Amino acid sequence: MAISKKTVRDVELTGKRVIMRVDFNVPMKEGVVQDDTRMVAALPTIRYILEQGARSLVLMSHLGEPKKDIKKAREKAEKDGRPFDEKKFSDGKHRMAPLAAHLGKLLGKKVAFAPDCLSENTAKMIAQLPPGGVLLLENTRFHNGEMSKDQAEREEMAKVLASYGDVYVNDAFGSAHRAHVSTQTVAQFLPAVAGFLMEKELEFLEDKIVKNPQKPFVAVIGGAKVSSKIAVLESLLAKVDALIIGGGMTYTFLKAKGVGVGKSLVEEEMVETAASIIKKADTAGVRFHLPIDHVVTQEFSADTPSKVTDGASIDDGWLGMDIGPKSIALFRSLLAGAKTVFWNGPMGVFEFAEFAAGTTAIAETLAGLTGAITVIGGGDSVSAVKKANLADKMSHISTGGGASLELVEGKELPGIKALMDR
């Protein structure tokens, strides 16, 4: 099924100046790109625009959150009694110049860099680009307007950015849930379409998960907190045939059922909500599955001794760190006949090798399913799948954690709403 929004295929690009929002919010260390996955993901759209004979292509992205990151780093340095060099820190973490150089290598052509988003010099650099020239703007979040709550301030910045193009392309799904200038407001001033990455996210999340999932549909939801997943759980109850719960949120649900959880992580204020979700699942005829055994320890540590519980209950003084072997077997059997699977959140503390078995087992199970659509909904699940070297075995791995969840919750994302309808 075609997505509801127009894409780069639906507009004339020959001879046009294109301004494109990409998600180049990649991990940086002292000015060096540590992981270019997001940059590589944008290449198909970039190449397509250039192949269509665009006059110029201006790329924009945020990189980190400068004010928040600097504040945090300064506080840590003060706590450790170390001097803090704000300029050195920000140059290494927030400046986009190294990304222009890196993108040039990936594209095999020069990518110009504008050391500012909004100056007259930037406009001049764009006008002087050779036919088919590519330019990357400096970090959009260096400007107050980008994240401003003041509409007039946002529009003022948007008009300048819009002056750099004849067509606006948004390929930054990971930021589509943000109502920022570069993701939303610019689209008010130019024909606005989705890039291929955005198109693929909508095809899988909006169409194959939210609107038209093939049945049986099983969702696997993990992670630490029920509070961060309430909306997505309630939304999924209306769509899935079975819901599998793992990770730290397990213990809040178990407590809601009156099962002993020892000293495991529990959100006390969410126990009633958890009980209500269990009840709603029952009313909706959704099979709701919690782990039936656990790997437990007496302290939260990577190398602490562990044991496996006999059943779902955890003794006093012990805390759950992963799902146990019986739970792995149960969850594997529940997933075996699925035609659609949505997975968000690990089954345990997978950062510690000792407690990664449950999460790895889910990844391996999904990789082995035949004829099923498997969608990994961003965040830690993506890290887990990559860690297990199974990324190429999944139907789709979302590039946006928060954006993926909000779309599955049924929310209208500002960056998507702003694009032209078909």
Side-chain angles (χ1 to χ4, degrees):
M1 178 192 152
I3 65 162
S4 58
K5 296 292 177 179
K6 286 190 176 180
T7 75
V8 281
R9 292 189 197 87
D10 300 311
V11 285
E12 179 60 59
L13 296 171
T14 310
K16 302 288 187 185
R17 300 171 309 139
V18 178
I19 180 159
M20 175 173 161
R21 178 55 154 95
V22 288
D23 185 1
F24 285 0
N25 184 30
V26 298
M28 300 287 287
K29 192 174 181 184
E30 294 169 6
V32 178
V33 176
Q34 302 298 300
D35 179 352
D36 67 0
T37 306
R38 286 177 170 178
M39 299 181 77
V40 170
L43 292 176
T45 307
I46 292 171
R47 289 196 176 112
Y48 177 83
I49 290 167
L50 297 176
E51 283 161 9
Q52 296 306 301
R55 162 65 188 89
S56 59
L57 174 59
V58 174
L59 303 170
M60 56 181 171
S61 176
H62 74 285
L63 181 57
E65 283 201 38
K67 284 181 183 172
K68 199 183 276 187
D69 296 342
I70 288 165
K71 183 174 181 277
K72 206 172 173 182
R74 180 183 285 113
E75 286 170 358
K76 189 175 189 318
E78 284 169 2
K79 192 180 173 187
D80 297 347
R82 291 182 288 106
F84 179 64
D85 185 333
E86 182 179 315
K87 185 179 183 304
K88 188 183 175 191
F89 172 78
S90 193
D91 283 355
K93 196 172 176 69
H94 303 122
R95 293 279 172 195
M96 304 284 282
L99 278 72
H102 192 88
L103 180 63
K105 286 180 195 161
L106 293 173
L107 272 178
K109 70 177 281 172
K110 180 176 167 41
V111 174
F113 175 70
D116 189 272
C117 283
L118 307 175
S119 70
E120 283 179 24
N121 184 49
T122 300
K124 200 179 290 179
M125 286 180 75
I126 293 166
Q128 289 170 355
L129 284 171
V134 181
L135 177 142
L136 177 67
L137 297 176
E138 182 55 283
N139 193 339
T140 56
R141 289 191 181 172
F142 281 160
H143 296 273
N144 291 333
E146 168 73 334
M147 298 167 70
S148 174
K149 297 279 188 279
D150 183 306
Q151 192 173 341
E153 192 178 8
R154 281 209 313 274
E155 286 184 0
E156 188 183 341
M157 180 174 170
K159 282 173 184 170
V160 178
L161 293 174
S163 73
Y164 303 154
D166 305 308
V167 176
Y168 167 73
V169 177
N170 191 346
D171 215 18
F173 177 75
S175 301
H177 58 319
R178 307 286 185 206
H180 294 166
V181 169
S182 63
T183 57
Q184 180 206 35
T185 323
V186 180
Q188 294 171 19
F189 302 102
L190 290 172
V193 296
F196 296 140
L197 185 62
M198 182 76 85
E199 178 185 39
K200 193 180 179 204
E201 294 278 10
L202 292 176
E203 180 196 331
F204 278 93
L205 291 167
E206 186 183 66
D207 183 31
K208 293 182 164 61
I209 296 297
V210 176
K211 291 180 178 171
N212 303 298
Q214 287 184 34
K215 300 282 198 160
F217 178 11
V218 181
V220 183
I221 305 294
K225 295 182 171 183
V226 177
S227 53
S228 62
K229 304 277 170 85
I230 294 167
V232 81
L233 287 168
E234 294 197 331
S235 169
L236 285 167
L237 286 178
K239 302 172 181 75
V240 300
D241 299 288
L243 194 52
I244 293 171
I245 301 288
M249 67 168 72
T250 295
Y251 315 113
T252 302
F253 279 106
L254 286 173
K255 184 157 188 179
K257 291 185 76 171
V259 177
V261 294
K263 58 176 184 178
S264 304
L265 173 75
V266 170
E267 286 182 282
E268 294 293 347
E269 71 284 6
M270 285 289 135
V271 172
E272 273 185 41
T273 304
S276 143
I277 288 169
I278 293 169
K279 194 174 178 184
K280 282 177 185 172
D282 188 45
T283 306
V286 171
R287 301 194 307 280
F288 189 92
H289 294 279
L290 291 162
I292 52 174
D293 63 344
H294 317 271
V295 178
V296 295
T297 62
Q298 289 183 301
E299 56 183 88
F300 188 88
S301 162
D303 46 15
T304 186
S306 64
K307 68 175 186 180
V308 177
T309 62
D310 289 333
S313 182
I314 297 171
D315 294 336
D316 290 347
W318 293 81
L319 67 147
M321 297 288 276
D322 193 12
I323 61 174
K326 288 181 200 164
S327 302
I328 289 173
L330 170 66
F331 294 173
R332 275 193 165 134
S333 68
L334 291 166
L335 289 162
K339 285 288 176 214
T340 303
V341 181
F342 176 74
W343 178 25
N344 177 281
M347 297 291 99
V349 189
F350 83 107
E351 307 91 301
F352 299 159
E354 188 70 26
F355 309 110
T359 302
T360 304
I362 295 293
E364 288 170 350
T365 303
L366 299 199
L369 295 179
T370 50
I373 288 163
T374 50
V375 177
I376 314 303
D380 287 338
S381 320
V382 175
S383 310
V385 166
K386 285 181 177 171
K387 213 170 177 180
N389 291 317
L390 296 168
D392 60 338
K393 299 281 195 290
M394 305 299 164
S395 308
H396 180 61
I397 293 182
S398 181
T399 52
S404 310
L405 285 183
E406 287 195 18
L407 196 62
V408 174
E409 284 166 21
K411 285 185 182 169
E412 198 168 32
L413 309 192
I416 293 168
K417 187 183 178 186
L419 303 176
M420 295 191 297
D421 292 326
R422 280 199 183 282

